[in-house]
Amino acid sequence: MSTASKSQPDLATLDRQLNQAILAGDILNAFEKFYATDVVMQENDAQPFVGKDVNRKREQDFVNSVEQFHGAKLLGEAVNGDRSYSEWEYDVTFKGGTRTKLAQVAARLWRSGQVVQERFYYKGMANG
């Protein structure tokens, strides 16, 4: 039987679901659902962070650092094989800081329906 491929949505659907959760501000639940236990996450060319526990803490710290979330825009998304890419603009006010606009590209590598590697590309922060 070839039901294995039907038991899980295709990568484009999974990536779209992840991006929609981020747009809805459901970052922490999306992390739990879509990221593998051994996920490796990296910002630009900084040292990568390995493992879900380490990266969960980083995600929680980011969410907790935001005083007000003004919005996010998904400018574009693409899937190629086991990789997906999305371009983002975020508008946030950090606690004790000023309102900041962030622009970044997230490059993801997927395996068995979960993100196993994610790298963020961006240049500095406006007003921050």
Side-chain angles (χ1 to χ4, degrees), residues 3-106:
T3 57
S5 63
K6 299 211 185 256
S7 65
Q8 179 172 297
D10 64 28
L11 183 57
T13 300
L14 290 170
D15 193 62
R16 193 171 310 110
Q17 289 172 351
L18 172 54
N19 288 339
Q20 290 303 311
I22 293 167
L23 284 167
D26 199 13
I27 296 168
L28 297 178
N29 286 328
F31 180 80
E32 292 305 322
K33 179 177 180 180
F34 292 103
Y35 289 74
T37 303
D38 59 347
V39 65
V40 175
M41 297 175 79
Q42 183 176 4
E43 308 228 1
N44 288 320
D45 59 355
Q47 284 293 109
F49 293 88
V50 180
K52 195 164 189 173
D53 290 340
V54 169
N55 285 298
R56 179 185 299 110
K57 171 86 167 80
R58 294 181 68 243
E59 293 293 316
Q60 288 170 332
D61 289 348
F62 173 78
V63 169
N64 291 338
S65 74
V66 174
E67 181 176 305
Q68 187 173 1
F69 183 73
H70 305 286
K73 285 186 195 172
L74 178 59
L75 301 177
E77 57 190 331
V79 173
N80 184 16
D82 59 359
R83 297 189 179 271
S84 66
Y85 306 89
S86 52
E87 183 179 3
W88 295 91
E89 284 184 355
Y90 297 100
D91 186 0
V92 299
T93 299
F94 290 103
K95 291 180 180 171
T98 58
R99 190 165 175 168
T100 304
K101 296 198 182 212
L102 309 168
Q104 74 176 16
V105 172

